[in-house]
Amino acid sequence: MDLHLVTYFVAVVDHGGITRAAQSLYISQPSLSQAIRTLEKRLGVTLFDRTGRRLELTEAGRKLDDAARRILADVERAKRKVDSVRKLQAGRVDVVTYAAFSIDPLVDIVRLFRERFPKLAVRVLAADSPAGVLSALRSGNAEIGVIDSSAEHATFSAIPMSEQELVVAAPEELADGLPDTVPRSAIRSVPLVVDHSDQHTAALFAELIDDDAHNIVIDCPLPAAIWNLVERGTGATVVPRVVADKQLAGARQLALDPPLTRPWGLVLRSGLPSPAALAFISAARAHSGLSPEPIETRDW
């Protein structure tokens, strides 16, 4: 049945008749009478005993009265929950990315997001590549993806953000004799520990790789394991400078000539973003030094 018919029915019960109920609802008396007849027809029962001056509920009407009030209470609770999400007082954003961006920029964006919107939560999903990010968006498992903005993103909405500067973080013994800024080709003689499984990342590292010399000594998708291997002198790795500063402080940082950068941005599934997603986009823009965009607070 239509929700407005339930509302009309309860108003008639509460006001003891059509006239006062119509006044409270700001509709005409004939319209309300017709609505009650429509409700009775749809249910196939008589809801009111109309023999006296005051409408009295029938047995069927009393049963509907209990159910109708539960329905309206449930709807009101649902409205309050939706309103709290709309006003950024509750809710969650589901974000998907892969190893390349799991630390930089994701950690700082999430930290800023939580500082600005402490009532909102974040769920981070792991993908194995840009294609995995798009797959998670397409299936509805995530609403926002953090991705290499130069990767193919098909028909998804894209928001370019910033770029990472990539450096080589190497144990001192492997970096011995190398200047602080080295030609990309010089890294071909350095044993590397990298995640080479993603084709897009592999293409980005192409000038650092010597297939004949097999200088990728360990192909590993786990950032923490890579950092530990570098710290133990097993090999060097290629990471954003931010990650090298925070996670590999004991390693030497070698800038590349020409510089190696990786652009990143956000991709969104089709449809209107949720308020929590808009809040996350706002935090990402702030992290990237971009002017903030207003967060819509209309009904969603």
Side-chain angles (χ1 to χ4, degrees):
M1 68 187 79
D2 295 337
L3 187 61
H4 77 279
L5 295 180
V6 177
T7 303
Y8 290 175
F9 168 77
V10 171
V12 173
V13 174
D14 288 344
H15 290 86
I18 296 292
T19 302
R20 290 183 178 178
Q23 291 172 349
S24 72
L25 295 168
Y26 299 100
I27 63 174
S28 68
Q29 182 175 333
S31 295
L32 182 54
S33 296
Q34 181 58 49
I36 296 300
R37 287 195 295 270
T38 299
L39 180 59
E40 289 178 322
K41 183 177 180 181
R42 291 185 181 180
L43 295 175
V45 296
T46 300
L47 299 172
F48 294 99
D49 182 350
R50 296 173 172 83
T51 57
R53 295 185 61 183
R54 178 183 174 90
L55 294 183
E56 298 291 343
L57 287 171
T58 63
E59 180 62 24
R62 285 191 290 272
K63 290 182 178 178
L64 177 61
D65 187 40
D66 291 339
R69 294 181 190 278
R70 287 196 300 271
I71 291 170
L72 294 178
D74 288 343
V75 169
E76 184 57 34
R77 281 191 292 271
K79 285 182 178 179
R80 287 197 296 269
K81 288 181 180 180
V82 170
D83 193 55
S84 67
V85 170
R86 181 176 62 83
K87 294 180 179 178
L88 300 177
Q89 296 301 305
R92 185 185 76 186
V93 60
D94 297 326
V95 180
V96 60
T97 192
Y98 50 106
F101 304 108
S102 61
I103 305 298
D104 176 50
L106 185 64
V107 168
D108 282 341
I109 294 175
V110 170
R111 177 187 57 78
L112 185 59
F113 173 83
R114 288 285 302 143
E115 287 178 357
R116 290 186 167 197
F117 310 101
K119 300 291 183 66
L120 302 182
V122 184
R123 182 175 71 125
V124 178
L125 290 82
D128 57 1
S129 64
V133 169
L134 300 184
S135 177
L137 295 175
R138 192 176 294 112
S139 66
N141 288 330
E143 188 174 4
I144 295 179
V146 182
I147 194 173
D148 187 325
S149 57
S150 66
E152 174 59 44
H153 52 265
T155 58
F156 291 86
S157 298
I159 307 176
M161 285 290 170
S162 185
E163 63 180 20
Q164 298 172 324
E165 178 194 1
L166 299 173
V167 299
V168 175
E172 281 292 345
E173 57 271 27
L174 294 181
D176 187 39
L178 293 175
D180 289 338
T181 300
V182 299
R184 295 184 185 184
S185 59
I187 304 302
R188 295 177 183 172
S189 62
V190 177
L192 294 178
V193 182
V194 294
D195 178 7
H196 207 235
S197 58
D198 167 30
Q199 293 183 352
H200 201 76
T201 299
L204 184 68
F205 291 175
E207 293 184 60
L208 313 179
I209 309 303
D210 188 335
D211 291 331
D212 294 330
H214 303 290
N215 69 318
I216 295 183
V217 295
I218 299 178
D219 183 353
C220 177
L222 305 175
I226 291 175
W227 304 334
N228 197 265
L229 288 165
V230 172
E231 289 174 345
R232 293 170 182 266
T234 305
T237 193
V238 184
V239 290
R241 185 178 291 277
V242 171
V243 175
D245 288 340
K246 294 180 179 179
Q247 305 295 337
L248 293 165
R252 255 190 81 191
Q253 290 185 28
L254 306 176
L256 293 165
D257 182 23
L260 185 61
T261 60
R262 175 165 50 197
W264 68 271
L266 306 181
V267 285
L268 286 73
R269 65 191 186 198
S270 59
L272 192 66
S274 69
L278 289 173
F280 188 88
I281 294 168
S282 174
R285 290 179 62 86
H287 167 76
S288 302
L290 302 175
S291 59
E293 292 184 340
I295 299 175
E296 298 283 351
T297 57
R298 60 190 171 188
D299 291 333
W300 296 84

